[in-house]
Amino acid sequence: MDFRFSDDQLTLAEGVRDYLAGTHGPEVLRRLDEQGNRDPAIWQGLVDMGLTGLCVPEAQGGLGVGLPEAALIAAECGRACLAEPLVDTAFVGVPWLVAQGKLDGLEDVVAGTRRVPVAHAINPWEADGAGAALTSVDPLRNLTAAGQTSDDPHLLNLGALMSAAQLVGLADAMLHQAVEYAKIRTQFGQPVGAFQGLKHQLASCSVAIEFAKPVVWRAAQAMQDRLDSAPVHVSHAKVAASDAAMLTAETAIQVHGAMGYTYEVDLHFWMKRSWALCGAWGDRAYHLKRVDDAVLGGTLPIGPEHTFA
Amino acid sequence: MQLDYTPEQQAFRAEVRAWMEAHVPKEPLVTLECREGYDQHVEWERTLASGNWGMVTWPEAYGGRGLDLIQWLIFEEEYFRAGGPNRANQNGIFLLGPTIMEFGTEEQKQRFLTPMAKGEVIWAQAWSEPGAGSDMAAIQSKAVRDGDHYVITGQKTWSSRAAFADWGFGIFRTDPDSKRHKGLTFILFDMNSPGITRRPIRQLHGDTGFAELFFDEVRVPVENCLAGEGQGWNVAMATAGFERGLMLRSPGRFQATAKRLVELYRANADKASPAAREAVVQAWGAAQAYAYNTYGVAAKIMAGGKIGAEASLNKIFWSELDRSMHRTAMQLLGAAAELKRFADGSVNQWLEGYIFSLSGPIYAGSNEVQRNITAERLLGLPRVGAG
């Protein structure tokens, strides 16, 4: 029993965080939004980092890491509001193919020349596919109508898990932006962040985020360990992460005041991604019902002795 | 990350479960906040000690079992699974004990820890004063050095367990010229010392869990000072860290409440609102989240880490969860919520629990103070009033 990421895992995540912070800042998001939102150089950078092959087995040339590590990296993609659909291809699509034993051609995913668009019946579209374009509120999300959808629950669980992971990263980033703004914006002769009216709201976001994270990591480990209860934990994670992200998004725009309502402040990119992911791969009602069925329906053992049931 | 228990941990769980099933009182004890209930709870502390379960993480030399924090969590899970009573000595074992372990001399450890683990000495805390509540650095009670004694004069209030406890601990101003956080000293005192007057405070439910303490030239030996004169604030902050961050409220307590809430929901499902239903599901989720977080904190401490300001997040989370769960229970009970005893004669534990849960966001540092700490120390926002 050791509810911690290893130093190696944390180092990997920090490497991705630093790389994205250095190469994928808000100025890049703005450039993408204004000049066409895909840039092969960004994708190639992710390939060079080994991220497209993160979940590809070593025999196919990947790193062969598990879902907890992938979730940790997905959170970093959320933190950076990464435009490229890396998470869909590499952390949802690849583990789904691997689970079905479909290993052919994964070398091409590692090399970055093959994408794995994933579409589930619960949201019948995919990221960066070949079908007719749909317009998302998120300007960096290229949705296309899916020709074929799957109703495989394993695919849905992978998608929901990685959405939850991105949402905690997105929430972290929005909280950070709000805090930084509250430190420099002065009114009534002091930084607005010195007012308890703002402090307490931001502290409440911190509580929601920090108690959503371990739920996400637990869900990732439950998927990795193939627990029968894993779908319940994924749904728990999706609800907790969505609630934390929505609270933080609404608090962050409030802290920015009228500036928060402008295109000029960066916050909107993260906020729009959060809205999109909250509804994707099973919305709040869907996941809450799965938890409800298990907890009130009695299929999941509950109580103090069942922390890791 | 590895979320399986070892065979040894599973065997330990089975050992705790068997003992608890054999020993936990079948009927709930009378509330700890009155003489009769206090005596029952002290008796339970001694029963626990007879099985050597007083404080499993402490070294054997001090009345413990020398177990690690994962085993402590397993113990707590089984304790609450079995419906174990509230711990009469929680101020001692969860707050003062770890503080003595960190700051005490060998002599102090020998003298205080074993009787604490065995339930022979029950401890009260004495932090707040009439003018020093959330603002604890405003403490005025004085301890004046006189030879090998301190002479304490002043007043403490909201002292948990002080109506009945044997010993107390608190911080006192030893440097009369000092201000705020400086010049304070952490002192342990016999509650029956000449010059101490206890005035139990009647709480809103009518019982007397805490008390005011009046000190009139109370003489306390210098060796009862913890970590040296003038170190009181640092020691008290460490105690508060234990209190908020890990020990005081272990997850099992809330997971047990959440489970009872699910059962209450099932019994009242026909008249429950959709909102109450969602609140019940969320209660399970939040109690689980709190448990995962605590396992993470335990793993961090076992790897040599420390609890910092993130303890404040913890305290906010569990206290507001507890209040929310009990509020939901009151909604599910509907008209019966007001009854102190149900028609079958059983005590309405949800009502007692709801009233108690209202104190959670106030004690151990109000949640407003915890949100300030979170904002200032974790998020880096400017201090209150900073220009």
Side-chain angles (χ1 to χ4, degrees):
Chain A
M1 178 60 62
D2 187 2
F3 203 124
R4 271 182 317 153
F5 285 105
S6 69
D7 289 343
D8 284 351
Q9 291 167 333
L10 294 172
T11 303
L12 175 66
E14 276 165 30
V16 175
R17 182 190 300 198
D18 291 347
Y19 173 77
L20 291 174
T23 61
H24 198 273
E27 69 290 347
V28 174
L29 301 183
R30 288 175 187 283
R31 172 170 64 77
L32 291 172
D33 189 19
E34 284 155 20
Q35 300 173 16
N37 66 9
R38 291 292 177 264
D39 178 350
I42 293 176
W43 183 258
Q44 191 56 45
L46 302 171
V47 172
D48 294 344
M49 286 284 286
L51 294 176
T52 50
L54 196 72
C55 297
V56 173
E58 288 178 81
Q60 278 72 40
L63 294 171
V65 308
L67 295 173
E69 292 91 338
L72 197 57
I73 306 296
E76 295 307 327
C77 297
R79 188 189 310 281
C81 201
L82 180 66
E84 298 286 332
L86 173 74
V87 174
D88 295 63
T89 280
F91 306 159
V92 179
V94 167
W96 185 48
L97 291 178
V98 170
Q100 300 171 80
K102 295 181 179 170
L103 304 177
D104 289 349
L106 289 183
E107 292 85 351
D108 297 336
V109 177
V110 179
T113 54
R114 177 185 168 199
R115 311 275 177 113
V116 187
V118 279
H120 191 275
I122 204 160
N123 31 224
W125 44 72
E126 57 200 14
D128 297 74
L134 296 150
T135 307
S136 168
V137 64
D138 176 355
L140 305 179
R141 201 166 140 82
N142 292 353
L143 297 181
T144 52
Q148 251 190 330
T149 60
S150 166
D151 58 2
D152 183 350
H154 187 58
L155 174 61
L156 187 147
N157 289 328
L158 287 167
L161 170 66
M162 294 304 164
S163 299
Q166 291 176 84
L167 282 162
V168 293
L170 286 157
D172 256 347
M174 291 187 288
L175 178 58
H176 179 73
Q177 289 167 29
V179 164
E180 292 307 305
Y181 186 78
K183 284 182 193 171
I184 55 166
R185 169 67 177 165
T186 60
Q187 283 289 273
F188 305 102
Q190 60 176 346
V192 294
F195 292 112
Q196 288 190 330
L198 290 199
K199 275 184 176 167
H200 288 193
Q201 291 187 58
L202 292 166
S204 293
C205 294
S206 194
V207 172
I209 295 167
E210 294 309 318
F211 282 89
K213 284 177 187 169
V215 180
V216 177
W217 312 145
R218 194 270 145 107
Q221 190 65 46
M223 289 283 284
Q224 181 70 26
D225 295 343
R226 300 173 176 274
L227 297 189
D228 290 343
S229 60
V232 183
H233 300 302
V234 168
S235 286
H236 182 196
K238 184 82 195 307
V239 173
S242 298
D243 287 354
M246 288 302 285
L247 174 71
T248 306
E250 291 177 3
T251 304
I253 186 172
Q254 185 69 22
V255 165
H256 281 85
M259 283 303 293
Y261 205 74
T262 66
Y263 187 84
E264 181 182 339
V265 160
D266 301 325
L267 175 69
H268 64 95
F269 288 109
W270 279 259
M271 201 157 57
K272 291 166 182 167
R273 179 71 50 81
S274 300
W275 298 339
L277 292 180
C278 280
W281 298 102
D283 62 9
R284 193 175 186 283
Y286 176 87
H287 287 290
L288 193 63
K289 180 168 188 316
R290 288 211 311 189
V291 180
D292 180 304
D293 286 345
V295 171
L296 299 184
T299 55
L300 183 75
I302 63 171
E305 74 277 28
H306 294 302
T307 300
F308 293 102
Chain B
M1 186 167 301
Q2 198 277 103
L3 304 184
D4 292 313
Y5 296 103
T6 63
E8 291 74 22
Q9 288 166 340
Q10 288 169 347
F12 176 68
R13 181 185 293 282
E15 181 191 352
V16 182
R17 184 171 299 182
W19 194 92
M20 290 297 158
E21 283 179 351
H23 291 86
V24 167
K26 296 291 174 267
E27 292 298 315
L29 303 185
V30 173
T31 170
L32 181 53
E33 321 234 339
C34 66
R35 181 83 242 178
E36 183 193 2
Y38 176 83
D39 290 343
Q40 287 181 5
H41 282 79
V42 172
E43 186 58 36
W44 165 247
E45 287 292 324
R46 294 183 184 157
T47 304
L48 268 179
S50 74
N52 198 19
W53 298 113
M55 197 57 204
V56 296
T57 53
W58 293 0
E60 291 175 32
Y62 307 129
R65 287 176 175 240
L67 303 183
D68 65 29
L69 286 173
I70 300 300
Q71 288 164 306
W72 176 69
L73 284 167
I74 292 170
F75 169 80
E76 290 279 307
E77 287 172 353
E78 291 301 320
Y79 187 90
F80 286 105
R81 172 188 177 273
N86 291 330
R87 299 294 300 269
N89 217 8
Q90 67 177 26
N91 292 308
I93 55 178
F94 295 149
L95 310 185
L96 180 60
T99 312
I100 292 178
M101 208 74 78
E102 183 166 339
F103 295 98
T105 62
E106 185 54 37
E107 186 272 336
Q108 288 173 327
K109 292 179 188 174
Q110 297 278 359
R111 184 174 160 211
F112 293 115
L113 292 178
T114 301
M116 198 185 286
K118 292 191 176 306
E120 292 164 1
V121 175
I122 305 297
W123 288 82
Q125 59 81 5
W127 299 125
S128 296
E129 297 183 0
S134 286
D135 183 11
M136 203 167 79
I139 278 172
Q140 291 182 342
S141 290
K142 288 181 300 190
V144 178
R145 185 73 180 256
D146 178 22
D148 51 7
H149 281 74
Y150 287 112
V151 180
I152 300 181
T153 302
Q155 183 183 351
K156 296 284 181 180
T157 191
W158 320 130
S159 294
S160 304
R161 300 285 86 75
F164 311 114
D166 306 303
W167 274 68
F169 60 90
I171 49 177
F172 299 87
R173 199 161 291 284
T174 39
D175 176 356
D177 299 324
S178 66
K179 290 228 159 45
R180 305 293 299 161
H181 312 84
K182 302 201 171 85
L184 297 167
T185 300
F186 198 107
I187 296 174
L188 319 180
F189 52 91
D190 185 338
M191 290 280 290
N192 294 314
S193 307
I196 293 183
T197 304
R198 319 179 191 207
R199 194 179 74 78
I201 299 170
R202 193 172 182 213
Q203 299 174 348
L204 76 168
H205 46 56
D207 294 321
T208 50
F210 48 35
E212 279 182 294
L213 294 176
F214 299 90
F215 297 80
D216 182 11
E217 301 196 343
V218 177
R219 296 183 69 80
V220 177
V222 170
E223 62 261 27
N224 288 8
C225 146
L226 197 60
E229 197 169 298
Q231 297 301 309
W233 185 261
N234 292 338
V235 183
M237 286 305 102
T239 308
F242 294 124
E243 181 172 32
R244 295 166 191 160
L246 184 67
M247 289 251 147
L248 180 64
R249 293 289 177 251
S250 78
R253 179 189 180 107
F254 305 109
Q255 290 168 299
T257 304
K259 182 178 182 180
R260 288 197 300 123
L261 189 61
V262 167
E263 288 159 1
L264 183 70
Y265 172 81
R266 288 184 185 139
N268 294 276
D270 56 335
K271 61 185 171 71
S273 71
R277 178 177 182 132
E278 178 171 340
V280 173
V281 175
Q282 293 278 26
W284 170 83
Q288 285 290 109
Y290 184 63
Y292 304 151
N293 187 65
T294 304
Y295 271 88
V297 171
K300 179 179 165 190
I301 293 174
M302 286 165 70
K306 289 215 172 242
I307 308 175
E310 68 270 23
S312 292
L313 298 172
N314 233 37
K315 199 265 162 171
I316 294 167
F317 191 82
W318 62 248
S319 59
E320 296 180 4
L321 166 62
D322 198 41
R323 183 174 60 183
S324 153
M325 288 196 291
H326 285 89
R327 181 199 312 125
T328 302
M330 296 286 277
Q331 291 167 351
L332 290 170
L333 285 168
E338 72 166 309
L339 300 177
K340 295 184 82 168
R341 283 178 185 277
F342 296 124
D344 66 1
S346 64
V347 172
N348 183 353
Q349 302 276 357
W350 288 114
L351 175 61
E352 285 190 3
Y354 177 62
I355 293 173
F356 182 68
S357 77
L358 296 175
S359 68
I362 301 170
Y363 66 72
S366 76
N367 286 13
E368 287 68 31
V369 170
Q370 304 312 318
R371 283 186 163 84
N372 284 346
I373 293 172
T374 299
E376 291 165 12
R377 299 204 210 142
L378 290 179
L379 301 179
L381 288 165
R383 291 182 61 82
V384 174

